[in-house]
């Protein structure tokens, strides 16, 4: 089968280990040919380009700037990228007979080109729902439900659901949310399609663990907590700073923050002012380097703003889990990631406006041996978050007909 896959993740090839590259490789291993469409931001200074490989094709489409730009510029680029994608697909893939169009949110603005392409190619469509917009923007106070901006994007969102033959959600709470807030959707087309990866055992031995910690000047005698990923408004950075501030004098802990985003400056200012002895702030690292550091740490952290009413489910959970690292999640109460972490014995959870509970959990972790988590977490990941789980969900779309 020929698969047309559209993503906003910037891909140079599919060798890098992530939820989308691993999925494309799984399609290839099952005898399919993916045609991948990925963005190329204008600030990179490179035009639209088609790269052909033996088992897949990669179309890099020039769009406006999306990352680390103003909200207005990002909004304009998001609205206009649908036309860029559509024109490039028709130009470079117009003579291909596609059997499936696969796409993920964000953004929802791909709805119109997907609708046209579905009709043009006469194929099935599958939405991997990774983000619920525009409600997430309302939660963060970017605009209100009474605004014209919200009403416009809500119509686009509903159209996206309407043109999708199947909607795959990251967690049970996502399934429930979509059906509750969009009663016109047939429940039979909404299913669980979790964030998943080709699970690799990223655990390391004691000698390698010590070598990595020495390389990055991380203490050998403390519990090292790591947060890695985006540092933007969705992550609730003010609460993260509160949590860090509460641990300035905790000599049993060390906190490593690795990432970039619109709120990075707030963290940088905190580190400059406090000059913490038991903390380090680093810019985003190459994925392989970052994964090595994760494996050398004791606990991975996840932060989400407490104001969210939509059930986010960050994929960074998987980088911790395949390293056998337990997780401390500080989130809103609408996501079920905390429930899954607790019920799966994967770590700890607190609401992301409860600093006192965060402090108590840190104390608990400092008095707990974490060795028991490593084997269990890896087994759990292989059972519930292996890439084959997502592939089988998507495959059922055409096997059911």
């Amino acid at each position: 089968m020929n698969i047309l896959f559209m993503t906003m993740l910037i891909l140079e090839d599919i060798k890098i280990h992530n939820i989308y590259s691993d999925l494309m490789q799984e399609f290839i291993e099952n005898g399919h040919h993916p045609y991948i469409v990925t963005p190329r931001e204008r600030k990179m200074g490179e035009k639209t380009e088609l790269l052909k490989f033996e088992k897949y094709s990669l179309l890099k489409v020039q769009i406006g700037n999306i990352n680390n730009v103003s909200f207005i510029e990002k909004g304009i680029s998001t609205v206009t990228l649908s036309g860029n994608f559509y024109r490039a697909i028709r130009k470079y893939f117009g003579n291909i007979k596609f059997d499936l169009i696969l796409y993920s949110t964000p953004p929802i603005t791909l709805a119109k080109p997907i609708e046209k392409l579905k009709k043009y190619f006469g194929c099935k469509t599958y939405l991997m729902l990774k983000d619920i917009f525009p409600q997430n923007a309302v939660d963060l106070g970017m605009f209100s439900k009474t605004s014209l901006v919200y009403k416009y994007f809500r119509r686009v969102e509903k159209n996206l659901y309407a043109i999708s033959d199947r909607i795959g959600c990251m967690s049970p709470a996502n399934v429930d949310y979509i059906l509750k807030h969009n009663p016109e959707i047939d429940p039979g087309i909404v299913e669980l399609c979790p964030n998943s990866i080709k699970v690799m055992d990223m655990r390391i031995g004691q000698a390698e663990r010590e070598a990595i910690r020495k390389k990055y000047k991380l203490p050998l005698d403390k519990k090292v907590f790591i947060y890695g990923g985006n540092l933007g408004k969705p992550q609730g950075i003010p609460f993260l700073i509160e949590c860090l501030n509460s641990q300035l004098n905790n000599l049993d802990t060390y906190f490593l923050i690795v990432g970039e985003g619109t709120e990075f400056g707030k963290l940088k200012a905190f580190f400059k002012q406090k000059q913490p002895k038991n903390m380090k702030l680093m810019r985003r690292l190459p994925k392989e380097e970052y994964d090595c550091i994760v494996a050398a740490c004791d606990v991975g952290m996840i932060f989400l703003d407490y104001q969210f009413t939509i059930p986010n489910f960050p994929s960074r959970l998987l980088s911790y889990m395949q390293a056998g690292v337990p997780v401390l999640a500080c989130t809103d109460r609408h996501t079920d990631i905390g429930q899954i972490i607790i019920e799966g014995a994967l770590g700890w959870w607190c609401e992301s406006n409860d600093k006192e509970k965060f402090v108590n959990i840190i104390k608990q972790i400092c008095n707990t041996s974490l060795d028991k988590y490593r084997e269990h977490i890896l087994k759990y990941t292989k059972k519930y978050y292996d890439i084959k789980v997502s592939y089988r969900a998507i495959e059922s779309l055409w096997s059911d007909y």
Side-chain angles (χ1 to χ4, degrees):
M1 289 177 55
N2 291 324
I3 313 295
L4 177 62
F5 173 52
M6 287 181 272
T7 177
M8 284 305 296
L9 182 67
I10 298 175
L11 295 175
E12 296 302 323
D13 55 49
I14 60 172
K15 296 177 182 178
I16 296 177
H17 183 43
N18 60 51
I19 60 174
Y20 295 135
S21 293
D22 288 1
L23 181 59
M24 293 299 100
Q25 291 184 35
E26 185 67 20
F27 271 102
I28 290 171
E29 290 177 12
N30 282 274
H32 307 296
H33 189 107
Y35 292 78
I36 305 165
V37 185
T38 181
R40 171 178 275 176
E41 292 184 90
R42 184 175 57 246
K43 61 187 175 185
M44 303 306 294
E46 297 177 303
K47 301 294 185 181
T48 296
E49 179 183 16
L50 174 61
L51 302 178
K52 293 184 178 181
F53 300 89
E54 180 182 357
K55 296 183 178 180
Y56 71 97
S57 300
L58 184 63
L59 178 58
K60 300 180 179 182
V61 181
Q62 188 191 65
I63 64 167
N65 298 321
I66 296 287
N67 296 305
N68 298 319
V69 295
S70 70
F71 179 71
I72 294 176
E73 183 175 2
K74 182 174 183 177
I76 294 173
S77 297
T78 300
V79 170
T80 58
L81 71 86
S82 61
N84 297 335
F85 268 42
Y86 179 75
R87 288 187 293 272
I89 291 169
R90 285 294 304 267
K91 178 179 179 179
Y92 292 96
F93 296 154
N95 61 343
I96 307 294
K97 173 60 175 126
F98 288 108
D99 302 285
L100 173 69
I101 300 176
L102 182 65
Y103 43 96
S104 61
T105 57
I108 60 171
T109 51
L110 288 175
K112 185 56 67 175
I114 290 168
E115 184 176 16
K116 293 179 180 178
L117 293 169
K118 179 180 182 179
K119 183 177 181 180
Y120 180 78
F121 293 117
C123 60
K124 298 295 181 183
T125 54
Y126 194 107
L127 167 62
M128 295 185 292
L129 192 69
K130 307 297 185 184
D131 180 65
I132 299 173
F133 183 85
Q135 184 57 48
N136 61 351
V138 172
D139 291 344
L140 295 175
M142 295 180 180
F143 45 76
S144 71
K145 276 193 169 184
T146 60
S147 68
L148 293 176
V149 175
Y150 172 82
K151 292 176 181 178
Y152 166 76
F153 281 118
R154 182 65 169 137
R155 286 196 300 271
V156 174
E157 179 194 16
K158 283 185 173 290
N159 185 47
L160 183 67
Y161 298 152
I163 63 175
S164 300
D165 292 306
R166 193 74 58 85
I167 301 173
C169 297
M170 297 182 290
S171 73
N174 277 257
V175 172
D176 294 341
Y177 182 94
I178 288 300
L179 293 176
K180 178 181 178 181
H181 293 274
N182 302 276
E184 71 279 4
I185 297 178
D186 177 4
I189 74 166
V190 183
E191 65 183 3
L192 188 62
C193 183
N195 293 329
S196 56
I197 51 175
K198 187 173 185 178
V199 181
M200 296 185 287
D201 187 350
M202 301 294 289
R203 296 174 299 172
I204 58 177
Q206 186 60 29
E208 187 176 358
R209 179 186 179 88
E210 291 181 4
I212 292 172
R213 288 202 180 190
K214 288 179 180 178
K215 178 180 178 181
Y216 294 97
K217 298 180 180 178
L218 305 175
L220 301 176
D221 58 345
K222 300 179 187 292
K223 292 280 176 65
V224 178
F225 296 75
I226 182 171
Y227 172 88
N230 191 42
L231 297 169
K233 289 187 179 298
Q235 286 68 47
I237 301 305
F239 182 71
L240 169 57
I241 291 174
E242 278 189 54
C243 292
L244 294 176
N245 194 55
S246 74
Q247 300 300 307
L248 288 172
N249 298 316
N250 187 344
L251 301 180
D252 296 323
T253 62
Y254 193 91
F255 291 83
L256 175 62
I257 311 298
V258 184
E260 290 182 355
T262 57
E263 303 291 283
F264 183 87
K266 291 182 179 179
L267 279 161
K268 187 176 180 180
F270 168 79
F271 274 77
K272 183 178 181 179
Q273 178 188 5
K274 299 294 184 177
Q275 296 290 310
K277 306 295 185 194
N278 63 337
M279 300 175 189
K280 178 182 287 189
L281 176 64
M282 300 175 65
R283 292 279 185 180
R284 188 183 301 275
L285 296 170
K287 191 172 189 313
E288 288 186 4
E289 187 176 352
Y290 169 73
D291 286 342
C292 287
I293 295 177
V294 168
C297 294
D298 295 295
V299 177
M301 297 190 296
I302 289 173
F303 282 85
L304 288 172
D305 194 288
Y306 76 96
Q307 298 176 96
F308 275 122
T309 63
I310 60 169
N312 292 293
F313 205 97
S315 61
R316 71 178 59 88
L317 174 67
L318 300 176
S319 63
Y320 300 145
M321 291 176 66
Q322 68 176 345
V325 173
V327 182
L328 168 53
C330 305
T331 74
D332 60 276
R333 54 190 173 84
H334 292 94
T335 176
D336 53 352
I337 193 170
Q339 177 184 345
I340 289 171
I341 286 171
I342 298 299
E343 292 180 354
L346 308 173
W348 308 265
W349 173 82
C350 72
E351 197 165 350
S352 52
N353 60 356
D354 190 345
K355 185 180 70 174
E356 183 177 346
K357 186 172 182 181
F358 174 87
V359 171
N360 289 333
I361 289 175
I362 296 296
K363 290 178 181 177
Q364 178 187 345
I365 293 173
C366 287
N367 294 315
T368 301
S369 172
L370 304 180
D371 293 339
K372 64 179 181 179
Y373 285 97
R374 300 192 178 277
E375 184 70 27
H376 164 71
I377 289 176
L378 188 63
K379 287 181 178 179
Y380 189 97
T381 310
K382 290 178 178 178
K383 182 176 182 179
Y384 294 105
Y385 296 104
D386 185 84
I387 195 64
K388 296 184 187 302
V389 175
S390 294
Y391 174 77
R392 285 194 293 267
I394 298 168
E395 181 191 37
S396 70
L397 175 58
W398 64 83
S399 62
D400 287 347
Y401 289 91

